[in-house]
Amino acid sequence: DGGITQSPKYLFRKEGQNVTLSCEQNLNHDAMYWYRQDPGQGLRLIYYSQIVNDFQKGDIAEGYSVSREKKESFPLTVTSAQKNPTAFYLCASSPLPRTFPGGGSSTEAFFGQGTRLTVV
Amino acid sequence: EDKVVQSPLSLVVHEGDTVTLNCSYEVTNFRSLLWYKQEKKAPTFLFMLTSSGIEKKSGRLSSILDKKELFSILNITATQTGDSAVYLCAAPSGGTSYGKLTFGQGTILTVHP
């Protein structure tokens, strides 16, 4: 089945440790994203990548790093520099935008099941 | 800075009620507005709206966009307990047509039997 797989589902980390969250997709999507969700808040963008070997910072990139060596994979590392890492992390991917009859183009993002990271 | 604001933040209704969820946006180079439903983990896609005044429907759910007022609503008729979820509104931002989405805070809908 096609989809986006995140692992692990739950992750516990001691303060001062780096951890890496996995995200793999077999949808042949070009773009991939990492979002963070905190209680009572919407999703906030950490990093995104529109093509292999290229990625850009989102709104809250500090304390995080990513790589995009393969089209299918976009791992996120939460470093010890991230001051408040406990959160729910969602990975997403999107296909190439499609053009609409009235002009313009857009696409939707498809999400994985998420990883809940807790710092202990 | 692009902004998406949803209201109400939470809503409690009984089965059979009709609900309207609101989403306003301020996005440069607007392309589309998307609605997602998040039950436990992954948000699932509901609608993409690109044109004003054209209603999109899927069963008991429907949505419409007003590009003049920078507003969208999501209607759910004859609500069921299975509709209980967080409903998220989002818009592609940053001048890109890719899924780099700015999300609202979400509306938590609770449907009681």
Side-chain angles (χ1 to χ4, degrees):
Chain A
D1 281 1
I4 302 170
T5 302
Q6 289 187 240
S7 62
K9 290 184 181 171
Y10 299 95
L11 187 57
F12 295 89
R13 187 195 98 173
K14 291 184 179 177
E15 283 193 31
Q17 286 181 338
N18 292 358
V19 287
T20 297
L21 283 58
S22 169
C23 178
E24 305 277 331
Q25 54 100 359
N26 59 5
L27 300 167
N28 200 33
H29 287 172
D30 288 281
M32 296 186 74
Y33 314 83
W34 275 104
Y35 288 88
R36 168 181 172 141
Q37 188 174 32
D38 294 284
Q41 297 193 37
L43 280 64
R44 293 183 291 166
L45 182 65
I46 304 172
Y47 267 97
Y48 66 103
S49 167
Q50 294 184 346
I51 196 169
V52 174
N53 290 325
D54 187 51
F55 48 82
Q56 283 80 42
K57 292 182 179 179
D59 301 317
I60 54 165
E62 186 176 348
Y64 299 99
S65 66
V66 293
S67 63
R68 187 85 187 276
E69 296 175 4
K70 298 186 299 182
K71 187 176 183 178
E72 303 80 20
S73 179
F74 192 40
L76 173 75
T77 297
V78 184
T79 74
S80 55
Q82 168 50 233
K83 299 299 179 201
N84 186 20
T86 295
F88 187 52
Y89 290 87
L90 283 160
C91 178
S93 68
S94 59
L96 287 172
R98 52 186 181 276
T99 303
F100 302 105
S105 59
S106 192
T107 184
E108 66 269 32
F110 297 87
F111 287 85
Q113 293 297 306
T115 293
R116 189 166 299 279
L117 172 64
T118 303
V119 173
V120 296
Chain B
E1 183 183 328
D2 293 337
K3 192 161 58 173
V4 176
V5 177
Q6 292 183 246
S7 65
L9 294 182
S10 66
L11 194 53
V12 180
V13 300
H14 288 95
E15 271 192 321
D17 289 348
T18 293
V19 297
T20 298
L21 310 184
N22 305 301
C23 176
S24 64
Y25 62 90
E26 293 175 30
V27 176
T28 27
N29 204 12
F30 176 82
R31 286 176 167 79
S32 63
L33 189 126
L34 296 95
W35 284 97
Y36 286 86
K37 177 183 181 182
Q38 185 178 26
E39 291 181 79
K40 287 207 165 79
K41 295 188 176 175
T44 52
F45 173 74
L46 294 174
F47 297 113
M48 178 191 289
L49 303 160
T50 58
S51 302
S52 266
I54 298 175
E55 185 183 51
K56 292 223 171 172
K57 281 183 74 82
S58 176
R60 295 176 295 101
L61 277 66
S62 64
S63 185
I64 198 160
L65 176 69
D66 185 333
K67 288 164 84 170
K68 184 179 174 188
E69 299 297 328
L70 309 183
F71 197 83
S72 174
I73 60 171
L74 175 69
N75 277 322
I76 308 175
T77 59
T79 52
Q80 301 170 358
T81 54
D83 295 326
S84 296
V86 178
Y87 290 84
L88 297 164
C89 169
S93 61
T96 176
S97 57
Y98 266 100
K100 178 175 171 280
L101 300 169
T102 296
F103 281 85
Q105 320 93 301
T107 294
I108 303 171
L109 175 64
T110 304
V111 182
H112 288 309

